Amino acid sequence: MITRNAVKFLSLCLCLSLVVSGWVLPEAKAAVPVSKVTWNTELQKVDGFGGSGAFHKAGSIMRLQEPLRTQILDMIFSRESGIGISIVRNMMGDGGTWGSKEYDGPTETIEPEKGVFVWDDPQWATKKADFDKYQIWFMNEAKKRGVTTFMTSSWSPPAWMKTNNSVLGTGNGKLKKENYQDYADYLAEYVLGYKKHFDLDISYISLANEPNIGPAYSGTVWTADEMNVFIRDYLGPTFAARKVPAKIVMPEHVNFTEAYALPALNDPVTVNYVDVVATHAYGIGTNVPEFPVSREKGKPIWQTEYMNQGTGLQTFENNTITDALRYANLIGNMFDNTGISAYFWWWPAANNGADGSDLIRLSNDGSNQALAPTENGQYRVFKRYYSFGNYSRFIRPGYVMIGADKNPVDEVMVTAYKDPQTGNFSIVAVNNDSGPQTITFDLQDFPGGVDAVVPYRTSPNENLKKLGDIAVSGQSFTMELKGSSVTTFIPKKYELPALPEQKDVFSTYEAEENDGQSPGVKAT
C-alpha cells in the first residue's frame, strides 16, 4: 500500500526528473490586449479625404490614352476599384504667366481687369471650352464617380489688386487695402460663375493659400489680423448679401497650427463667418498638436495639403511601407489628437520630377515638358497610396469618429468611425512593430449585432489586400496584426471588392508568390 507521503515523494521526483531532462511546465497564457470600440462615444463628424489637380497636374491625367486614363481616375475616386477620394481641391486662376502652360503655373483669372469678367466677353461661347479646362474636366470626372465636395483655394488675386503688381508672393506681395471689396466680389463671382457657366458647385472657398510666406510663385502675404478684418468687414458680408453658397475656409497656414486663425476665431463677428479652420502640415514632426480654440468654437478642422518634401524624404525607403506607416500614423493621430474632419494629399496623381509629391506618379519620357506632352503611359504606385486608402476608401463623408482604446499595446494604434445612418463602420489598426501583434476588438453597443468583419491590409508585401472574413462572437473579434501593417475592418454586410492586383517595385514579396512566373522553377 502506497502512503500519502510516498505519493508526494514520487511526484517530487517526477518534477525534478522533468526539469533535469529539459522539460518545463507550460506558463499561463498571456491575456490578449483589448481595444474597446464604443459606438455611442461620438466625436467629430468626418467631411472626407481630398486631393488636388492644381498647377495643371489634372492635365497630366487628361492627356493619357484610354483605358489608362479611366483606370487612373478610378484609382483616385472610385471605392470599387480605388481609394475613394471624396474632395477635390482646386487652384483659383490668377492669370499669372510664370511657369509652363501645360505642366506648371497658374490658370486664367475670371477678372483680368477691374470689372471685366471673362464670361462677359462676346466671344465667351467659343473661349469657354479652354478656360481652366484641366481642373474643370477633373471635377466633372470626380462627379461621375460620386464626388460632390469641391474646394477652391486662392493663391493670389489678379495682379491688378496686388501691391507688387504681380501674382507672385515676392516683394511682400499683398492685397491692396483699396481692393479689399474688389477681392470679396471676385471670390463671390468665382463661386456664382462656376455654377452658372460650368454647373459646378464650389462647396468651400479659401481666401489665401499659405498666407504666411511670400513665394516666388503665385502667393499673397497676409497677417492674421488682416485676414480677420477682410473676412469680418468684406468677405463675410459680401457672401451673405449675394447669397453665395460656398463656405469660408481659412487660414491655410503652411505649418500645422491654428495660430493664424485665432484673431478671426476670437472676434465675435468674424467667428460666425468662418466655416472651416484649415492648415497645411509642412514641417510637422511626430507630435501632432491640438487645436483647442477651433474645437471650443465648434469649427471643423481640415488638413488641406501635405506631401513628402526634400531630398531626404524622396529616398527609396520613404517610398516603401516605412512611408506608408508614417502617413497611417499621422492621419490617425490628427483625427484623434487634433480632431480633424478632413485630410488631403497634395496631388493624387501627377507627372512631375519628384516621387514625394504623389500617391501615383505618372512617368514621363524625360523630354522638355514645355515643348510637348511627355507622359509615356507608365506609372508607379507608392505604398502611401494604399495606407491613405486604408482610411479614405472606408471612412466616408458623414461618418462620425467614435471612441476606441487607441493603444491597446505598445506600437499599435486603433481609431474607429461609424455611419450613424446605416450602421456601417470602419476600424483602422496600425501595427508599427516589425513583428505580429494579436488584438481583440470589443464592440461596445454596436447596433443590430455584427456577425463578421472583413479586413483589408497594407503591409510590406500586400496592397490593401482583402483578407478572409473574421467571425464576431459575443460582440468581439480577435486578429493577429501582421508586422508593419495597416488593417481596416468593416462589417461583412458592407464589404467592398478586392482591389485589382498590382505588383510594385516598392513592395517585398514572399518567394512563393512568384511561383509560376518562371516555367520549371519553383520557390521552396
Side-chain angles (χ1 to χ4, degrees), residues 33 290 296:
E290 297 181 1
E296 176 196 345

Side-chain angles (χ1 to χ4, degrees), residues 181-465:
Q181 186 58 53
D182 291 321
Y183 188 45
D185 289 331
Y186 175 81
L187 297 174
E189 190 68 21
Y190 172 89
V191 176
L192 300 174
Y194 268 57
K195 176 60 177 176
K196 179 179 178 180
H197 297 283
F198 304 111
D199 193 28
L200 289 167
D201 295 291
I202 305 300
S203 320
Y204 297 85
I205 196 149
S206 169
L207 60 144
N209 174 79
E210 300 178 353
N212 58 306
I213 62 173
Y217 51 88
S218 292
T220 308
V221 178
W222 295 78
T223 67
D225 288 329
E226 287 169 343
M227 296 186 84
N228 176 42
V229 170
F230 175 73
I231 295 170
R232 182 191 66 206
D233 299 343
Y234 298 91
L235 186 61
T238 297
F239 272 36
R242 299 187 64 178
K243 296 182 172 55
V244 177
K247 296 181 178 181
I248 295 173
V249 178
M250 64 85 68
E252 287 206 279
H253 193 283
V254 70
N255 301 127
F256 198 69
T257 174
E258 71 170 353
Y260 243 58
L262 294 182
L265 294 176
N266 290 321
D267 187 302
V269 176
T270 315
V271 68
N272 296 311
Y273 291 128
V274 174
D275 296 297
V276 172
V277 173
T279 181
H280 299 173
Y282 298 111
I284 196 167
T286 56
N287 295 322
V288 176
E290 297 181 1
F291 280 42
V293 179
S294 301
R295 298 184 78 166
E296 176 196 345
K297 305 291 183 179
K299 302 300 179 183
I301 304 162
W302 288 12
Q303 188 290 111
T304 49
E305 184 182 318
Y306 193 38
M307 62 176 175
N308 283 345
Q309 273 198 326
T311 304
L313 292 175
Q314 294 183 42
T315 62
F316 172 79
E317 181 184 14
N318 282 295
N319 290 321
T320 65
I321 192 65
T322 301
D323 195 56
L325 290 174
R326 176 187 178 213
Y327 286 102
N329 285 294
L330 185 63
I331 293 170
N333 280 321
M334 283 187 176
F335 271 96
D336 181 67
N337 295 349
T338 311
I340 67 169
S341 295
Y343 186 99
F344 291 56
W345 188 265
W346 179 213
W347 291 318
N351 172 6
N352 60 70
D355 284 348
S357 301
D358 319 317
L359 299 177
I360 305 168
R361 183 180 176 190
L362 306 177
S363 301
N364 59 64
D365 60 19
S367 62
N368 189 338
Q369 293 184 338
L371 300 178
T374 65
E375 293 83 20
N376 62 9
Q378 299 178 3
Y379 64 95
R380 62 179 63 168
V381 184
F382 302 110
K383 274 290 184 181
R384 55 182 170 264
Y385 167 85
Y386 297 104
S387 65
F388 187 97
N390 274 99
Y391 291 92
S392 61
R393 190 183 186 206
F394 306 101
I395 303 166
R396 308 304 298 165
Y399 275 39
V400 174
M401 188 176 185
I402 58 177
D405 292 333
K406 184 179 179 183
N407 302 115
V409 66
D410 289 346
E411 302 299 324
V412 171
M413 180 184 71
V414 178
T415 57
Y417 315 81
K418 73 175 182 181
D419 181 351
Q421 303 302 315
T422 66
N424 198 354
F425 64 85
S426 301
I427 300 171
V428 184
V430 183
N431 181 15
N432 295 290
D433 197 308
S434 59
Q437 296 272 18
T438 299
I439 304 293
T440 292
F441 298 88
D442 187 2
L443 309 181
Q444 299 279 309
D445 303 318
F446 276 53
V450 182
D451 296 326
V453 295
V454 182
Y456 297 78
R457 186 166 65 199
T458 300
S459 71
N461 66 309
E462 296 165 315
N463 296 326
L464 262 181
K465 182 177 181 179

